[in-house]
Each structure stands twice: as C-alpha cells, then as structure tokens.
Amino acid sequence: MTIRVLTGITTTGTPHLGNYAGAIRPAVRASEQPGVDAFFFLADYHALIKCDDPARVARSRLEIAATWLAAGLDPQRVTFYRQSDIPETTELCWFLTCVTAKGLMNRAHAYKASVDQNEAKGVDPDDGVTMGLFSYPVLMAADILLFNAHKVPVGRDQVQHLEMARDIAQRFNHLYQGDFFVLPEVQIEEDVATLPGLDGRKMSKSYNNTIPLFEGGAKALRGAISRIVTDSLQPGQPKDADASHLFTLYRAFAQPDEVAAFRRDLESGMGWGDAKQALGDRLERDIAPMRETYNELMANPGRIEDILQAGASKARKLASPLMERVRDAVGLRTLGAASAGAKAGGKKAAAKAARFVSFRDEDGSFRFRLLAADGQELLLSESHANPKDAGQLMRRLQDEDVELREQDGQVHVILQGAVVARGVSEAGRIRQALESLRQE
C-alpha cells in the first residue's frame, strides 16, 4: 500500500535548526522510503495570518524552498509546490468551513492563547483576533484533505490541528454520504519533534531564541551556540546531561555511540565551553554540505521557480478530480448535471430511509445522530472520548441487531446490556431506519 505523507512550513521567516530537525529532516527521510508518496508545500497563505510584511513573506518563500531542496528533497520523486499556486485549496477551505462547528474552532490552542492574553491585559477577549487566526485549522485541514494525506509530520503544538482535520473530514463524509476524505494521522519523531532554543524554551522565532540553519554561515551557527544558556557548574564538576538542553540538541543530530560518549564527557566534568565546541563541530558535519547547495540555489531563484511550477501542475492534476466530486456532492453542478442529479437524487432520497451524522459536542466529546430521510432526528448517541469509538458504534448499529426499549417517553438502544443511544421517535420507526441502512 502506498502511504501519502504531507507537510509544510509557514513562510514567515528564515528556516532555523528547529524547523530542520522537527519538520524538514523527518519529512525528507519519509519521502525516501519505499511505498511513500510525499507532498511538501510552502504554506504562504498561512503566512498572511501572522505577517503583514510583503517583503518578508516573499523572501521567506525563496529561503524555505531553497532549504528543502538543499536538505535533500528530490522534486522528481515528490510533489513540491506553493500553497498559493493551488486554487483548489481555498475553494475546499470554504466548503469545509461551511460544515465546521464554531465550537470546535473556539477550542483551538492558538485562538485560546490569544483570548487568554487579552483577558490578562484587561481588553476585549477577541481584540486583534482576525478570522484568519480563528479559522486557521480549517485551512490546514484543506491543505491535508485536498490530497488525502495518510500521515502528516508535525510538531507537538500542531497535533490538535490534525485532530480537528480528522473531525472535519469525518463530518463532511457523513454529511454528504461519501468517502471523500481520508482521516489523516499525525507523525512525530519523539526525540526531536520540538527542539529547545538558546534559552531552553521551544526554539521559535517568536521567542527570538533560534539557531540559524544556513543564514550567516558557519560563523553565525557557532555564534548562536555560544549563547546557549547553561548552569553555573565549572569545568571538572559533573553535569546532568538530561537536564541540559545543549545535550538535547546534540542528541537530535548525533549517532547513538556519539550521544553515549558525549553524555560520559558531561558527567565526567566537561566544561560548557568545550561542550558547545563539540556541539558546533557535530552540527557543522551535517550542515556544511547542505549550506553549499543552499547558497547555489539562492543565487539562482529562477531554478527554484521552475521546480515549484512543475510541482503545482502535478498537484493540481490530483486536486481537480477530487474537487469535482466535492462540488457535485454539495450541489454545485452544471445546470444540465444539476437537473439530472435532482431526478436521481429524488429517487435516492425516496429509497433511503436514514443516515448517520457524526459531530463533536461543545464539551469536546464525539457523538452521532440517526436522521430520517426528511431530516428528523431519530436517535442521539451517548458521548465518546474517541471519534473511533463513535465510528465503530455507528457501524455496529448498522450491522448488528440491537434491543430497543421504550422507557420514560424515550426509546433506548441497548447493545450488550448498555444504553448506547436514545430517541424520542417510535421504536418501530427507528428499527425500520436501521434495517434500511443494513440493506444499502
């Protein structure tokens, strides 16, 4: 089975060591595995959420493209493109927006963080919050679902967005009764998904604590390493390797035997100055060859543009057929097709007794409804912490005989002695609806 892997980097700045170790390197490695169909993109639409400096966005697009290519990305083997070169992305984003609950967006970490900061300042909770920031997860879902990616390598701070993409995909699939979208899975390298910066916090441009990857050459790399914060232990005093973010950085790039030796040196009293020198030497071994390729690409932006345009053409050949299906599903057909579809749809609606519709409740739990053909709610499921559990229960109700028990004006659906759903309709109508689903 071919596994489709997709990832991207927002074009708001110059790539740093954390971008490389946390996203670029694992994604490039994944693209080299047999049976992997890899997609990589420059997330320049996302950049507009965070940055209103056009020159910075334009420069970042060039630098990030050059970085990925220098890091070993093979444009002949993968699909490499700019987000803004794929108009189907924004079209799909709107379709997904129309089925996404506002309550789901209210729980997004980035939005909640902005609200918390505003409340701490004593200003309006939504002060400075744009719709771009608020609906960011929907655009991210469109990036992923447009190409039906199976796995998405991300940092831990993006895991929630992957979960939201799954929720949105599942809702669309159920609402329009089709397998339009694959439910993507997150992929994280446990040891290096988030690298510490100079001050020990997550390496981020927001904290101004990054270590440059290529910018400024070897001198800038070593200069940043020299500013890594350490404790006050002197040479000769044993160091706690696991408590040192300098050691964490070294471990992210070195081989196991090198890591073991470096740990022994620290525990034996290696001075922090020597440790920083060792880290710089180890990083330079990997980075120097890539830096040379990067500088050549930066001097020839036309070559990068040709690669990106070829990638966009390749990507759109896959995106266009999916969007035709999606447009048809939501009713945006040509007039001739719409007329034929209305007739066919009428017959289908008459034959179809019911459908399941899943959703995420305000408390974050997962539930589903059984709806009649006319849209009347027949059943409402109990809450589930995991969307897979809700999905499995829907399949069981469709495949297995269940007990329907009328009690206190409700119909209780009993499965293995437990109430799994409740309804206010007649038991006979619910049973007829379930039986019609089993016959599809």
Side-chain angles (χ1 to χ4, degrees):
M1 175 182 174
T2 299
I3 302 297
R4 184 163 291 170
V5 179
L6 179 145
T7 195
I9 294 181
T10 307
T11 56
T12 54
T14 303
H16 55 69
L17 200 66
N19 297 141
Y20 173 71
I24 300 174
R25 182 177 64 181
V28 170
R29 286 177 176 173
S31 74
E32 297 169 347
Q33 299 300 312
V36 170
D37 182 18
F39 283 64
F40 301 87
F41 69 96
L42 308 180
D44 48 359
Y45 280 145
H46 289 294
L48 304 183
I49 300 170
K50 306 176 182 179
C51 180
D52 58 4
D53 182 348
R56 180 180 174 186
V57 172
R59 178 70 178 179
S60 180
R61 296 201 307 172
L62 174 63
E63 291 174 336
I64 291 177
T67 298
W68 282 46
L69 294 169
L73 191 67
D74 183 354
Q76 299 300 316
R77 182 169 185 170
V78 307
T79 304
F80 183 44
Y81 59 96
R82 272 183 304 238
Q83 184 185 36
S84 59
D85 288 332
I86 314 298
E88 291 84 0
T89 299
T90 47
E91 183 181 14
L92 178 58
C93 181
W94 179 249
F95 291 156
L96 299 180
T97 298
C98 293
V99 303
T100 300
K102 179 178 179 292
L104 181 63
M105 295 297 97
N106 287 341
R107 293 189 289 273
H109 294 325
Y111 172 64
K112 290 176 66 177
S114 295
V115 170
D116 290 343
Q117 291 171 7
N118 285 335
E119 290 179 341
K121 295 175 183 177
V123 299
D124 184 89
D126 287 327
D127 183 60
V129 176
T130 67
M131 287 306 298
L133 172 64
F134 183 73
S135 59
Y136 167 89
V138 185
L139 180 57
M140 183 172 175
D143 293 324
I144 297 165
L145 302 180
L146 183 61
F147 300 106
N148 276 325
H150 300 101
K151 294 185 179 295
V152 184
V154 295
R156 290 195 173 278
D157 59 336
Q158 294 291 322
V159 170
Q160 185 201 40
H161 291 155
L162 260 293
E163 294 173 348
M164 288 179 166
R166 290 174 60 91
D167 294 342
I168 294 168
Q170 189 176 45
R171 179 170 176 79
F172 191 98
N173 286 347
H174 282 291
L175 184 61
Y176 292 105
Q177 295 295 296
D179 295 327
F180 300 98
F181 303 119
V182 170
L183 302 187
E185 296 181 1
V186 67
Q187 178 175 301
I188 297 177
E189 285 197 354
E190 292 295 338
D191 293 335
V192 299
T194 302
L195 287 188
L198 304 180
D199 56 2
R201 293 182 295 176
K202 172 193 171 184
M203 190 179 297
S204 170
K205 295 182 286 291
S206 300
Y207 299 145
N208 194 29
N209 68 348
T210 61
I211 296 175
L213 181 60
F214 300 136
E215 185 183 29
K219 182 177 180 181
L221 175 66
R222 290 189 180 273
I225 292 172
S226 70
R227 298 193 300 275
I228 293 176
V229 176
T230 57
D231 59 34
S232 59
L233 293 175
Q234 299 299 309
Q237 293 181 289
K239 313 296 190 298
D240 183 354
D242 293 324
S244 167
H245 45 278
L246 188 150
F247 176 76
T248 301
L249 288 165
Y250 189 95
R251 183 176 58 195
F253 289 86
Q255 297 299 315
D257 58 334
E258 296 174 313
V259 174
F262 191 51
R263 177 189 291 275
R264 288 194 298 270
D265 290 341
L266 288 172
E267 294 174 347
S268 298
M270 171 187 271
W272 288 123
D274 290 338
K276 291 178 179 180
Q277 178 67 38
L279 174 61
D281 292 344
R282 185 62 189 83
L283 291 178
E284 190 64 16
R285 281 168 50 191
D286 286 355
I287 293 174
M290 295 189 293
R291 187 188 297 124
E292 182 177 354
T293 302
Y294 173 83
N295 290 334
E296 292 174 356
L297 289 166
M298 290 294 291
N300 187 7
R303 178 183 169 194
I304 298 176
E305 181 66 25
D306 290 342
I307 291 172
L308 292 173
Q309 289 299 326
S313 177
K314 182 178 177 182
R316 294 196 67 193
K317 288 179 180 178
L318 293 172
S320 294
L322 174 63
M323 289 309 300
E324 288 181 8
R325 289 186 63 213
V326 171
R327 291 188 202 103
D328 182 78
V330 302
L332 302 185
R333 312 178 184 101
T334 61
L335 294 182
S339 176
K343 295 178 182 179
K347 295 178 181 179
K348 182 177 180 181
K352 192 176 185 63
R355 67 187 186 277
F356 285 118
V357 177
S358 63
F359 65 99
R360 194 167 189 176
D361 218 336
E362 289 294 332
D363 62 1
S365 63
F366 299 88
R367 309 177 80 175
F368 62 84
R369 294 183 175 93
L370 174 63
L371 302 181
D374 60 4
Q376 180 184 353
E377 180 179 303
L378 301 179
L379 288 175
L380 176 64
S381 75
E382 299 297 293
S383 298
H384 297 271
N386 190 316
K388 292 183 178 179
D389 294 338
Q392 289 173 355
L393 177 57
M394 282 190 290
R395 288 191 290 272
R396 292 186 65 187
L397 292 181
Q398 187 168 344
D399 296 339
E400 302 177 20
D401 289 329
V402 297
E403 177 186 353
L404 300 181
R405 182 183 304 164
E406 296 189 27
Q407 181 178 341
D408 299 327
Q410 289 186 323
V411 178
H412 292 189
V413 180
I414 312 296
L415 194 61
Q416 293 184 333
V419 177
V420 297
R422 306 168 194 266
V424 294
S425 300
E426 296 179 357
R429 189 178 184 194
I430 293 173
R431 186 173 299 281
Q432 183 180 18
L434 291 173
E435 288 176 353
S436 71
L437 287 173
R438 296 184 189 117
Q439 294 171 6
E440 292 183 352

